[in-house]
Amino acid sequence: MEPVFLILIGAALFSQSWNLMGLYSDGRTTGIFVGGLGLLSLVALVLDPLLLTGDDVSVANHLAEITATKVLIVMWALYCAGVAAQAIWDLEDRSIGFFALILTVTSAVVFLYFATVLEPRYGEGPWLGLSLAALLLSIMSAMVFFAFGFTFNAMRAVAAWFLLLGGATVGVIGLAAVSRAI
């Protein structure tokens, strides 16, 4: 569940960064890529967890961690749907920026939960991978908030580079989890 989500969201953010840098000639291309990857990331909701598994984990704790991961998946899928709608129908960017503020808070709460809870239960690999991914997602959504919510033109390039590098890093974390390197 987690690696599939990380790979797809990383690819969606990487694709969005190309649009922010002006490398797509038409914004609809971004809408199709990001929207498709966001919808595909919802498939992760029905998959079994790959990193959040263990023998000595209680059912209540496991359910809380799975719920936090699923909330993160749904929120980022909604973000991708919003970016797709904005890009396809050429709507105002500001709504994406203000939704990114909600996404920043959600991702930061999930990061704090993962950073404090996962290490003793699952070990260093899943703890570090999921915590780092949630932190990067929180930072990237904060950059999108400042770039689009207040329409700082200088922040647009900064957000684009954060999305490019952060999306690639989140995708690599997902690939490392799939290959059991984490």
Side-chain angles (χ1 to χ4, degrees):
M1 168 173 68
E2 311 90 342
V4 172
F5 163 69
L6 294 177
I7 292 168
L8 293 173
I9 289 300
L13 294 173
F14 188 85
S15 177
Q16 185 188 8
S17 73
W18 280 42
N19 184 39
L20 291 178
M21 290 181 185
L23 297 175
Y24 286 143
S25 61
D26 188 15
R28 291 185 191 105
T29 307
T30 302
I32 292 168
F33 284 160
V34 173
L37 291 168
L39 286 175
L40 280 175
S41 70
L42 289 175
V43 171
L45 292 173
V46 297
L47 299 175
D48 290 332
L50 186 65
L51 295 176
L52 299 177
T53 58
D55 296 333
D56 59 343
V57 179
S58 71
V59 174
N61 292 337
H62 185 67
L63 184 60
E65 289 136 12
I66 296 299
T67 302
T69 305
K70 287 185 177 187
V71 165
L72 197 64
I73 291 170
V74 169
M75 291 299 289
W76 277 96
L78 287 173
Y79 172 77
C80 288
V83 169
Q86 183 274 328
I88 289 172
W89 293 304
D90 199 25
L91 301 173
E92 180 68 29
D93 289 338
R94 192 168 278 196
S95 60
I96 298 295
F98 287 119
F99 183 75
L101 178 63
I102 298 167
L103 198 56
T104 300
V105 171
T106 304
S107 298
V109 167
V110 171
F111 161 69
L112 291 173
Y113 181 74
F114 283 168
T116 57
V117 170
L118 291 186
E119 199 268 328
R121 294 182 190 157
Y122 299 103
E124 291 178 1
W127 165 72
L128 187 59
L130 290 176
S131 297
L132 180 61
L135 177 64
L136 287 172
L137 290 172
S138 177
I139 291 170
M140 288 185 287
S141 59
M143 288 296 145
V144 169
F145 168 67
F146 285 115
F148 292 140
F150 298 116
T151 62
F152 292 142
N153 289 331
M155 282 298 294
R156 191 174 181 94
V158 173
W161 279 101
F162 266 91
L163 289 175
L164 181 78
L165 298 174
T169 304
V170 167
V172 166
I173 291 170
L175 288 172
V178 165
S179 67
R180 295 290 189 176
I182 292 182

